[in-house]
Amino acid sequence: MGKEKIGIKNKRNIPLSFKLGLFLVVVITMVSMVLINIHYHAYKKVTYDQIYRNLDYVDMTDPDTLDMLTRSAKETYLVTHFDGYAELHEQAVAAGDSSALAQWLRNHLLHYYTLEYMSKARKDELMEQYIKEAVDAGHAEDEVYDWISLYHDDYYSYMESIDYIFNAFIYLQTLADLEDITHIGVYIEEGNGYLQLMDVESSNTMEKDFNEVLVCGVPLDDVPAITSYNKSKDEHLKIKTARGHEIARVEPLEIDGIEYYFVFYHEADNAVEGQASFIRNGVFFAFGMAALAIIIGFIILRRMVTKPLKSLAKAVDDFSLEEAHDDKAAVIDLPIKSRDEIGTLYNNIRSMETRIIDDAENITHMNAEKERIGMELELAEKIQKNSLPSTFPAFPDHKEFDLYASMDPAKEVGGDFYDFYMIDEDHLAMVIADVSGKGVPASLFMMVSKILIENNAMAELSPAEIIKKTNRQICRNNPEGMFVTVWLGIIDLRNGKMSACSAGHEYPCIKNPDGNFELFKDKHGLMVGYVPEYSYTDYELTLTPGSKLFVYTDGVPEATDAEGNRFGTDRLIAALQECGNESPENIIHHLSERVDGFVEDAEAFDDLTMLCFEFLGR
């Protein structure tokens, strides 16, 4: 029987316990993440639902609520659009200082004259103070004073209605307190932006003085809540403002042809941070479960699966080693009593080893001679097969050429061979040869010839010197008188110049980039193994980028069909022309198909060996 060692091993030596443990970790982690996701959405729903309920407590359909909101909006709007403001703006523009004066009047006069409770004496005192501040700021005193004098009485009379603004503020603040709303904003669209009529904070969160927060008529470029609402019409909007994360409910309300926006805000920083904390804790929980699964899975799997399997694997390896060394192999005997799959596997292995021992004894006695012959042919076939390069592309780092070769022996082993190797970084050697005779002797002679040629080539000799030295070495000990035809070429990959020598071999075929394949009738010398001191000569040729070289043994032109007709050189050239622009690999496959189609069922006459080289240049 064969001597091949049998072992139970993973493809990449990865322990089975690790594979099963990893599977367990993945399953537990996925289950944990699903549970975390379910709880996360439940937590998120509870958290945000409470905020939504707070915002939705304000019933815009309630008559009393609607009346108070309407009055608050109208009165605030009137205060921020009082009579005379437009005239003030025109005078400021005419004076050439419109922006500074308008801003100053809005921030000071409008704020204190319309929104602050004070006596007339206090107003006069502030009037003098503001005029002084305006003058210090570079404004014309007469310009400001004329405007104040012009509308002085109108403003004093307007103060009678200022308590409505205060009442509106108190109402909105009370509403925010009762419904746990962070703050309420009232806006109208004005120009390209918005005018904030009022922004009332809940007294629970208000940190500023009453007079500091009671500010109306603030121009804004954008109100994120209103912009989002106009795009989506969502009932609840998650936005990011200067205050942080907020959830807003926008309620538009048309009053006297003007559309007001009431925006109810609720801070969401705590909710957002709560979500982030929940996610972090969930991730830690998942990792913890995974780590626990690794530990538990490793312990259980090692005890119940890995350890018995390792014992089985070692016992099978020991059995195979005993068989390989012709020792008397003993059937494994392990303390495995389980009735599961491992127990079944153990019993099956015992039965298998018993049959192997019995079969081995029978085969040894009945087929000793046949096995000896088979081993001889198998060894010769392996030697020959392994001696020829079979990995393509052969030199993937070298882009200067493409190369492909094949050898199909007529019997189990043959006398043909090909070879190629880099002599140095810039020189590639290619060899094709045909040994006289067939079978094992030719195969052994082929191996000797191949090794000698390669060793001599590595000495950086010319092709003629390599073959001459090889011929001398073979003739020195060749009592059977065997010989070998050889074609050897060495190409300089930098410029395509090739030196070659032929020792009685077939003519090569060469194709220029724009031409067809043609026989190149090179100068022949004697076959290697005839005359010890025979002198061989080189010849040179130059391959340009895109040129191809095709060399072969006589098995190609001398391939014979059932009627005794030969394939011949003409058919060879014709077959090459059919695929002249193909890659070397495709060319050789095409030639093999042509020869097989010609020979059909006839017995192979000789080994079929071919090598095709294409020079691509640098």
Side-chain angles (χ1 to χ4, degrees), residues 1-3 323 355-372 375:
M1 63 177 296
K3 307 298 182 182
E323 285 289 303
R355 291 194 300 269
I356 289 174
I357 293 173
D358 294 340
D359 291 343
E361 293 176 353
N362 293 333
I363 292 173
T364 301
H365 290 93
M366 294 175 61
N367 300 310
E369 187 65 23
K370 183 178 179 180
E371 182 179 4
R372 183 167 58 251
M375 287 294 293

Side-chain angles (χ1 to χ4, degrees), residues 423 427-431 453 456-457 460-471 486-491 497-503 528 535-540:
I423 296 176
H427 293 85
L428 170 71
M430 294 176 285
V431 183
I453 292 173
N456 293 329
E460 299 186 4
L461 304 174
S462 69
E465 292 171 335
I466 294 170
I467 295 179
K468 180 179 179 180
K469 189 173 181 180
T470 302
N471 176 60
V486 180
W487 181 92
L488 170 63
I490 300 176
I491 184 170
K497 292 184 179 181
M498 174 183 287
S499 295
C501 181
S502 176
V528 173
S535 295
Y536 295 88
T537 58
D538 292 325
Y539 66 89
E540 294 185 356

